[in-house]
Amino acid sequence: MNVPAAWYLILAAVLFGIGAFGVLTRRSALIILMCVELMLNAVNLTFVTFSRTLSDISGQAIVFFVMVVAAAEVTIGLGIVVAVFRRRSSTSVDELAELKG
Amino acid sequence: MIAGAYAVPSVLIFVTCVVLILVGAVGVITVKNPVHAALSLILTLLGVAVAFVAQSADFLAAVQIIVYAGAIVVLFLFVIMFLGVDTRRHVEIEPLVGQRAFAAVGVVVTVGGLITLMAKSHWVSGALSVSNGGQPIATGQGNVQQLGTAVFTTYLFAFEATAALLIIAVVGAVLLARRERAVASEDVGS
């Protein structure tokens, strides 16, 4: 008997939590983008697990689209990081406080 | 670990996944050097790819390696090299008081609630969609065939929309990264 789906779901939830903690606490915009990738991967793992358990290929199709969106998101995100670095010489998100009330 | 109840290879594969994913993920959020964080990210992505293979998502495992480890992480490394390695971590500065403690509590509550909710609903529940007719997910070539059929029939519109999305992302990235210079000025140097 194979490993139950629950184990993979718990692993994905823990991975999501680690990524969320990184997004909330790290200061560098680059690391925050990497942590967003961790969270997206956790969701992908959940989708694949559901897909296997329900014998439904739709879960894998959605993971495929999530990967496309993740690639687009990283491209734009890193473009913004480079543009901000040109103006501010820093990638720390704390220093972007112009809109602070 | 419940030994004996489950097939040994699948348990071994799962343990490998756990080690790869958790070591990599903890590395991403703890190391100082962004290059090391990117390498830890590769470790996590490999672990997720192993989990994909173990759950008969062969095509996605290949895409995971090619797109994530091959393209996205290289893009990260490229930008890190472009900006210069910044190892300042500002550990001592905490602009929001108690941010880390609040983040930890929030994450623990969220993950705990998520696991409790899933356990209460017997982990997996829901109706099958019509795309696969309830056939078991195939591996290898069969997996590519099933996924291709789903993407090019049920999800055709979404698939075409991703083409527009990628074009927009590429144009946006080029516009963002372009160095602005006065067109009227005569100097050709940077």
Side-chain angles (χ1 to χ4, degrees):
Chain A
M1 188 179 167
N2 276 336
V3 166
W7 295 12
Y8 281 104
L9 292 176
I10 292 173
L11 174 62
V14 171
L15 178 60
F16 186 87
I18 293 174
F21 185 76
V23 169
L24 290 173
T25 55
R26 292 302 300 263
R27 296 271 179 271
S28 162
L30 280 168
I31 305 285
I32 289 176
L33 280 174
M34 288 184 203
C35 290
V36 171
E37 293 303 312
L38 289 184
M39 294 166 78
L40 285 168
N41 267 279
V43 174
N44 282 353
L45 185 53
T46 313
F47 268 122
V48 167
T49 306
F50 282 146
S51 171
R52 181 194 63 157
T53 315
L54 294 172
S55 295
D56 189 335
I57 200 77
S58 300
Q60 294 191 12
I62 289 168
V63 170
F64 182 73
F65 294 126
V66 170
M67 282 177 175
V68 174
V69 173
E73 171 250 325
V74 160
T75 314
I76 296 295
L78 289 177
I80 292 173
V81 168
V82 170
V84 167
F85 187 81
R86 284 226 178 92
R87 295 185 78 90
R88 314 296 303 265
S89 299
S90 165
T91 60
S92 171
V93 290
D94 283 336
E95 292 168 30
L96 304 172
E98 276 85 5
L99 288 177
K100 205 176 188 176
Chain B
M1 214 49 58
I2 309 143
Y6 305 111
V8 176
S10 71
V11 173
L12 281 181
I13 290 169
F14 180 76
V15 171
T16 313
C17 281
V18 170
V19 171
L20 286 175
I21 289 177
L22 292 188
V23 168
V26 170
V28 170
I29 65 168
T30 51
V31 295
K32 276 185 182 155
N33 192 330
V35 178
H36 296 165
L39 296 178
S40 301
L41 184 61
I42 292 186
L43 200 63
T44 300
L45 300 175
L46 283 177
V48 174
V50 171
F52 282 0
V53 173
Q55 307 202 73
S56 61
D58 297 8
F59 177 76
L60 289 176
V63 172
Q64 172 91 1
I65 299 294
I66 294 167
V67 172
Y68 270 110
I72 290 181
V73 175
V74 170
L75 198 61
F76 270 115
L77 287 173
F78 193 77
V79 170
I80 292 167
M81 301 300 174
F82 181 71
L83 302 182
V85 174
D86 179 16
T87 51
R88 291 174 299 155
R89 248 203 84 176
H90 312 293
V91 182
E92 66 285 354
I93 310 164
E94 202 173 11
L96 299 169
V97 180
Q99 185 190 12
R100 249 173 235 120
F102 275 118
V105 170
V107 164
V108 167
V109 168
T110 309
V111 172
L114 204 60
I115 292 175
T116 314
L117 272 180
M118 287 195 290
K120 281 208 176 249
S121 60
H122 306 287
W123 296 104
V124 180
S125 59
L128 298 180
S129 81
V130 291
S131 62
N132 195 31
Q135 295 167 28
I137 306 288
T139 56
Q141 281 193 326
N143 177 249
V144 180
Q145 211 162 25
Q146 282 182 341
L147 191 56
T149 310
V151 165
F152 285 103
T153 54
T154 317
Y155 300 101
L156 183 62
F157 180 72
F159 181 73
E160 296 293 342
T162 58
L165 177 75
L166 285 176
I167 289 289
I168 293 168
V170 168
V171 172
V174 169
L175 273 177
L176 278 171
R178 195 181 53 165
R179 196 179 290 274
E180 285 177 32
R181 61 176 65 132
V183 183
S185 61
E186 292 290 321
D187 56 338
V188 286
S190 64

